Amino acid sequence: MNVDDTVEAIKSMEIRGAGRIARAGAEAIGGMAASGKWDGIGAMRKDVLSAKEKIIGSRPTAVSLLNGVQFTLKGFDECKDVGEAKALLIGNSEAFVRASNEAVSIIGKIGSRRIKDGAVIMTHCNSSAALECIKEAHRSGKRIKVYATESRPWRQGIITVNELAKEGIDVTLIIDSAVRSVMKRVDIVMVGADTITSNGAVINKIGTSQLALAANESHVPFVVCGETYKISPQTLFGDTVTIEERDTGEIVRDGEIPGTVKVFNPVFDSTPARYIDGIVTEVGIVSPGSVYEIMIRQFGEQIFN
Ligand code: RUB
């Protein structure tokens, strides 16, 4: 897929989920490097940097997209000619996609250990990292039950229940407003992440923070599953995470309500660190308070330069 098609597919949610959009962004840069023709490094640099801006602007909340693209561009500024730059971008893009897929699989293995035999799990939206933990627990022979929220308005819960049912997992679809009532039956909540901030807050699909509140009230562990490239170093320096607002047509059809009625459609929310029992990453389960250390380890001291 070329850069413009990737941008369109991300905006229209044909490609969605923080990990998938990051891999798609990295692949688009790698593909551009492989197929593009430039007379000199200056022209290539201009095109690649403009592609970078288009890709990272396609969905504003998930820092995974920015980090995936930045990882792919690592070393690009120092390249002396087109040949060297092409090889670097193709190699970086492949390395990011490989590491990203491996991270999900490691998270699955680590996170599945937090799921006991006979456990009832609740999940929200459709997170490959969270679902990998659930699937791995099932593969290892644990008898589990899953409650999956519908996740209005896009109803990613439908994808989730299909995915889990295909694996033979006992899964029940619930509407978003049933979360608090169903929480009494739940042993552990597992959700994904679009962005993890320096103070350990997690930005994920709208409604995630309601699951966290309900879990807290019922003393149910609330666990986030996310690759370390979902950590946002920018939040350390005061940047806040932009919460994407999508078209109101996702909530109401034309003519259904008077034009005087306003409609608000934020699609992500922030869960404060105090409601999070652990973050399952590919480098282990960490407390929200340890995000800073992981950030330094994964992104290096260069974030201060
Ligand atoms: C998807 C969503 C997912 C995270 C993590 O929202 O909120 O929980 O992106 O997903 P949307 P993953 O459908 O709007 O993209 O673990 O697959 O990266």
Side-chain angles (χ1 to χ4, degrees), residues 77-152:
D77 283 349
E78 287 80 54
C79 288
K80 307 251 177 329
D81 58 53
V82 172
E84 185 190 351
K86 275 180 168 250
L88 175 104
L89 295 181
I90 296 166
N92 281 355
S93 158
E94 286 171 358
F96 178 77
V97 171
R98 197 171 40 247
S100 162
N101 283 322
E102 271 168 23
V104 173
S105 147
I106 298 168
I107 287 171
K109 293 206 169 59
I110 298 175
S112 69
R113 300 201 185 113
R114 290 294 298 267
I115 300 173
K116 296 197 178 81
D117 187 26
V120 179
I121 306 145
M122 183 183 282
T123 191
H124 186 51
C125 193
N126 178 257
S127 154
S128 10
L131 294 193
E132 192 53 29
C133 300
I134 295 170
K135 288 178 192 170
E136 187 58 33
H138 173 72
R139 282 182 212 122
S140 66
K142 291 175 187 165
R143 289 153 300 168
I144 54 170
K145 274 175 81 164
V146 180
Y147 284 101
T149 57
E150 181 187 13
S151 311
R152 282 266 299 148

Side-chain angles (χ1 to χ4, degrees), residues 10 12 61 67 86 91 96 142 145 190 200 216 224 228 238 241 244 249-250 269 274 277:
I10 293 175
S12 67
T61 300
N67 286 340
K86 275 180 168 250
F96 178 77
K142 291 175 187 165
K145 274 175 81 164
M190 282 189 149
N216 184 265
V224 173
T228 51
V241 179
E244 178 184 3
E250 293 180 353
D269 69 16
R274 64 180 177 280
D277 291 282

Side-chain angles (χ1 to χ4, degrees), residues 226-274:
E227 305 85 319
T228 51
Y229 66 84
K230 289 171 179 172
I231 296 175
S232 164
Q234 294 78 7
T235 56
L236 187 61
F237 303 106
D239 276 12
T240 51
V241 179
T242 305
I243 300 293
E244 178 184 3
E245 281 175 42
R246 292 185 65 88
D247 197 273
T248 55
E250 293 180 353
I251 299 183
V252 280
R253 288 187 294 275
D254 267 355
E256 207 174 15
I257 52 173
T260 49
V261 176
K262 297 189 249 341
V263 179
F264 180 41
N265 184 20
V267 296
F268 295 98
D269 69 16
S270 173
T271 301
R274 64 180 177 280

